[in-house]
Amino acid sequence: TMIGRALDELSPELCRMIADGKERAIITHAKGTELLTLAVKVAPGSSGHVITFEDITRQLLDQRQAAWSDVARRIAHEIKNPLTPIQLATERLKRRYRTQVSDGDRELFDELTDTIVRQVGGLRTMVDEFSSFARLPKPVFRDEDVLDLLRQAVFLQEVAHSGIAFTVSSAELIDREVRCDRHQFGQAMTNVLKNAVEAVEARAAEALGQYAGEISVKIRDAGEFVTISIEDNGVGLPSDRERITEPYVTTRDKGTGLGLAIVNKIVDEHGGDMSFAGTPSGGTRVTLRFARNPQPPEGGGA
């Protein structure tokens, strides 16, 4: 039904991109009652333009949730922790000095101390509710074939980036079963692999001579953990590498700075950790550890 229709009828935003000569842009597109966020690329074709786009609506939502999660942790640390000492101190003042207050002021004294205790309780409830709201969706843990999930994530990137050589090594993996949230596991792998792809593409753009992009993925047993290493021969780590998992920190022109914050949160929820290192080729190695059983099975169900 779209054949023969003008582009400005289907998507005025895409039409404006072409008119303005833009090669990349983030646009919004109405689809029924939904408002989608699309990462769009425009390239010249033989008889017009070739437009490719990726729906990043869910990704941006997850990134915002990751940022809120970081805010919630700070609030819990800065506000919630002092609330108990305040409440205990107020209750102790009331017990010790109430009898020393004259009868005329005793009612006011009780009202003032009760107000402090009541407001402390209100603050504690508010912080708890905010933390629950800000938290990423709770993982749904099931027994999964971790190698199969990893291969799916790598295959998606292979198809999208045929100019990069991807390899997967699993020789050191004996037990393939891991309890994890398959959606969040795939999301973490996709974000790390996309970072590696962008690093390779950035180096390819800077290379003066021959350069072949390579991304190798290695999965192995590590006791009660499974370790996954993603190594690329791209542009390497930034100088402030210790901050790259913080929300809104990015070295990419088109990056939002929250992809690794999401990965860090997911790995943490799965009882693991994430680390970064440089490689002899000047690239980056990202190592993710996932606990084989971050929580016991519930009721023996699948």
Side-chain angles (χ1 to χ4, degrees):
T1 57
M2 297 182 183
I3 296 176
R5 292 178 60 185
L7 181 61
D8 60 353
E9 294 179 18
L10 300 173
S11 177
E13 294 84 359
L14 287 176
C15 198
R16 279 196 295 271
M17 270 190 68
I18 295 175
D20 295 342
K22 292 183 178 179
E23 296 182 357
R24 300 171 183 265
I26 304 295
I27 69 169
T28 55
H29 176 76
K31 180 185 177 184
T33 58
E34 291 184 90
L35 190 62
L36 305 179
T37 303
L38 307 178
V40 184
K41 297 180 183 179
V42 178
S46 58
S47 59
H49 295 84
V50 177
I51 303 173
T52 59
F53 58 87
E54 179 184 2
D55 183 358
I56 60 172
T57 309
R58 177 67 190 182
Q59 178 184 351
L60 292 179
L61 175 61
D62 290 340
Q63 290 172 348
R64 284 194 292 269
Q65 288 176 325
W68 277 114
S69 179
D70 183 68
V71 172
R73 285 194 297 270
R74 295 174 188 272
I75 287 179
H77 177 73
E78 299 295 336
I79 298 179
K80 190 175 181 179
N81 289 348
L83 294 181
T84 298
I86 292 173
Q87 180 176 339
L88 293 175
T90 305
E91 291 172 346
R92 184 175 180 183
L93 285 171
K94 185 175 181 179
R95 287 195 304 269
R96 180 160 184 172
Y97 295 107
R98 186 174 186 272
T99 56
Q100 300 179 26
V101 177
S102 61
D103 292 341
D105 293 330
R106 190 167 297 166
E107 183 178 348
L108 176 60
F109 181 79
D110 288 344
E111 183 179 347
L112 293 175
T113 52
D114 288 345
T115 297
I116 295 174
V117 173
R118 187 169 58 251
Q119 293 301 320
V120 165
L123 282 172
R124 183 179 287 110
T125 300
M126 181 183 68
V127 172
D128 288 341
E129 290 176 350
F130 181 75
S131 297
S132 298
F133 167 78
R135 193 176 298 120
L136 279 169
K138 186 177 179 63
V140 179
F141 293 103
R142 292 187 174 90
D143 292 332
E144 303 284 357
D145 185 330
V146 67
L147 181 57
D148 185 54
L149 295 181
L150 179 60
R151 283 174 172 163
Q152 289 178 30
V154 173
F155 177 73
L156 290 175
Q157 297 302 315
E158 275 186 310
V159 172
H161 306 282
S162 57
I164 300 175
F166 289 81
T167 58
V168 177
S169 172
S170 59
E172 297 181 40
L173 180 68
I174 300 173
D175 183 3
R176 295 166 57 165
E177 186 173 278
V178 171
R179 278 187 75 80
C180 67
D181 182 310
R182 63 180 299 123
H183 169 72
Q184 292 191 9
F185 180 93
Q187 184 181 8
M189 290 298 103
T190 297
N191 279 348
V192 175
L193 287 167
K194 286 180 70 174
N195 267 24
V197 167
E198 290 177 3
V200 167
E201 290 178 339
R203 184 167 179 180
E206 298 172 356
L208 299 176
Q210 292 291 330
Y211 169 75
E214 297 177 355
I215 296 176
S216 63
V217 183
K218 183 177 182 180
I219 181 169
R220 61 183 178 86
D221 286 309
E224 297 180 356
F225 295 85
V226 168
T227 298
I228 302 171
S229 299
I230 297 95
E231 183 172 325
D232 64 67
N233 62 344
V235 292
L237 290 165
S239 56
D240 56 344
R241 66 180 66 181
E242 69 279 357
R243 297 188 60 232
I244 57 180
T245 60
E246 293 182 11
Y248 301 117
V249 175
T250 181
T251 59
R252 309 278 186 259
D253 293 338
K254 56 183 177 179
T256 55
L258 284 165
L260 290 178
I262 292 174
V263 177
N264 196 46
K265 176 66 174 176
I266 291 173
V267 174
D268 183 65
E269 292 272 4
H270 283 71
D273 52 46
M274 176 169 60
S275 61
F276 301 84
T279 67
S281 67
T284 302
R285 181 187 303 112
V286 182
T287 303
L288 310 176
R289 288 202 316 160
F290 290 88
R292 284 194 173 276
N293 189 10
Q295 69 171 32
E298 297 179 4

